[in-house]
Amino acid sequence: MTDRPAQEAPVTEIDPTGAVADWWATAVSHMEPGVIELRGRPVQDLIGTTSLTSVIWLMLRGDLPAPRQAALLEAALVAAVDHGPQAPSIAIARMAATCGVGLNNAVASAVNTLGDAHGGAGEQCVRLLDDVIRREDAGLGLRAAAEQAVADGPRYLPGFGHRFHPRDPRRDPLLALVEDAVRDGVVPGRHLRAGKAIEARLAEGRARPVPMNIDGATAIIYAELGFPAPLARGLFVLSRSIGVLAHAWEESQSGRRNKGPIPRAVLPARLD
Ligand SMILES: CC(C)(COP(=O)(O)OP(=O)(O)OC[C@H]1O[C@@H](n2cnc3c(N)ncnc32)[C@H](O)[C@@H]1OP(=O)(O)O)[C@@H](O)C(=O)NCCC(=O)NCCSC(=O)C[C@@](O)(CC(=O)O)C(=O)O
């Protein structure tokens, strides 16, 4: 019998065979008293030396990105931060913030709207681009591969079209960065070529083309950098959470309660 508090017992006493430690071990991080490691790197070595973008890469991939890879990832993350108060994710964050919930609930409400039609289409878009590449590898030319993928795809191809912008203003600067990266050998460029081939196919015979949107342009970046499809959605969520937090915070400071999309002045008079 010892008077030492239970929480100070050595690990070997609590877990003599190491079975608990093995069961809950992960490659992502490790912690023991006085030690915090992210992907095997002491956190104190990362603090002050490593950008948040590089740490995002490190956490998801296990290694650190080269500077040009980090720059490309950062561009995609910056581009998707916010899309104004009408974007469903942002609007929902603002409404939730006036409902008496905490910031975490407002952020979670917003994140839950990032689906196949809004902000979450990057995942499907990566799969679509992979599909074009697969068809090319099976012997089709790029144009025919894109044509078949479009014909076999859903009516609304993920990563293309926008309800507000005839041409999403985020598309061109993002694709220009990918083009530079392809030219300099930073990324291979096959997903970029596949995305542009689909876009060209969608424009054929249309008065109003259906250009790539933010989900399409960032899907190209994530795929070119080697992120698997589901992480295209995950990284959009990460980026949009920044804008969502800012909006939820601003609205939570307004003192308004139950704010919805209709201004009070135009609501019908109350009967009571
Ligand atoms: C985004 C929208 C619903 C818009 O629809 P619209 O209402 O403009 O299109 P409609 O009027 O239905 O169609 C008019 C004509 O174009 C054809 N057409 C349109 N899209 C087509 C397409 N993808 N593939 C083939 N054909 C298409 C259609 O077949 C029709 O042809 P036709 O019948 O012949 O006249 C639509 O594109 C769509 O589902 N995209 C795929 C999902 C996707 O990528 N989602 C991400 C969007 S970005 C985002 O969420 C982030 C955001 O930017 C959000 C924000 O705040 O907005 C932010 O940052 O928060």
Side-chain angles (χ1 to χ4, degrees):
M1 191 61 190
T2 167
D3 53 7
R4 189 175 59 217
Q7 66 269 29
E8 286 184 14
V11 171
T12 45
E13 252 176 52
I14 304 166
D15 185 20
T17 64
V20 176
D22 286 351
W23 169 253
W24 210 237
T26 157
V28 176
S29 62
H30 173 72
M31 191 283 300
E32 55 188 88
V35 175
I36 303 171
E37 287 173 355
L38 308 183
R39 293 286 187 182
R41 294 168 194 260
V43 73
Q44 59 271 32
D45 292 355
L46 298 169
I47 296 169
T49 64
T50 312
S51 71
L52 180 60
T53 301
S54 292
V55 170
I56 292 167
W57 180 297
L58 173 70
M59 294 298 277
L60 293 174
R61 312 265 294 241
D63 58 359
L64 282 169
R68 291 286 300 275
Q69 291 174 315
L72 211 46
L73 174 59
E74 183 154 304
L77 293 171
V78 167
V81 160
D82 194 350
H83 188 255
Q86 311 85 344
S89 48
I90 302 287
I92 283 165
R94 298 194 70 100
M95 282 192 262
T98 70
C99 293
V101 300
L103 271 179
N104 57 318
N105 305 99
V107 171
S109 303
V111 163
N112 277 329
T113 65
L114 294 173
D116 295 347
H118 170 51
E123 177 175 355
Q124 285 86 352
C125 186
V126 172
R127 294 190 207 285
L128 177 65
L129 302 175
D130 285 342
D131 183 32
V132 173
I133 290 171
R134 238 185 332 269
R135 290 173 197 257
E136 255 192 302
D137 288 344
L140 286 179
L142 177 59
R143 191 187 153 93
E147 196 169 316
Q148 280 194 5
V150 169
D152 292 348
R155 176 171 177 214
Y156 289 93
L157 287 157
F160 297 84
H162 202 282
R163 64 197 178 114
F164 284 130
H165 308 297
R167 189 175 180 88
D168 190 324
R170 299 161 288 191
R171 177 207 176 279
D172 291 354
L174 288 172
L175 292 204
L177 288 172
V178 186
E179 268 153 21
D180 288 350
V182 173
R183 189 197 55 225
D184 298 341
V186 177
V187 294
R190 292 197 75 187
H191 289 89
L192 173 66
R193 289 188 331 119
K196 287 175 99 175
I198 292 176
E199 193 178 51
R201 175 68 191 92
L202 277 179
E204 278 170 26
R206 275 183 180 277
R208 201 175 143 230
V210 186
M212 211 177 285
N213 58 40
I214 178 72
D215 284 322
T218 53
I220 286 177
I221 291 187
Y222 297 137
E224 288 287 352
L225 289 173
F227 287 96
L231 286 178
R233 184 178 296 222
L235 287 162
F236 189 101
V237 168
L238 207 54
S239 161
R240 181 50 58 90
S241 296
I242 298 166
V244 159
L245 177 61
H247 281 276
W249 172 242
E250 183 189 72
E251 192 63 69
S252 73
Q253 300 302 293
S254 70
R256 288 201 184 90
R257 289 154 54 85
N258 293 354
K259 185 179 178 186
I262 304 178
R264 273 196 176 228
V266 294
L267 279 175
R270 290 201 307 198
L271 296 175
D272 55 339

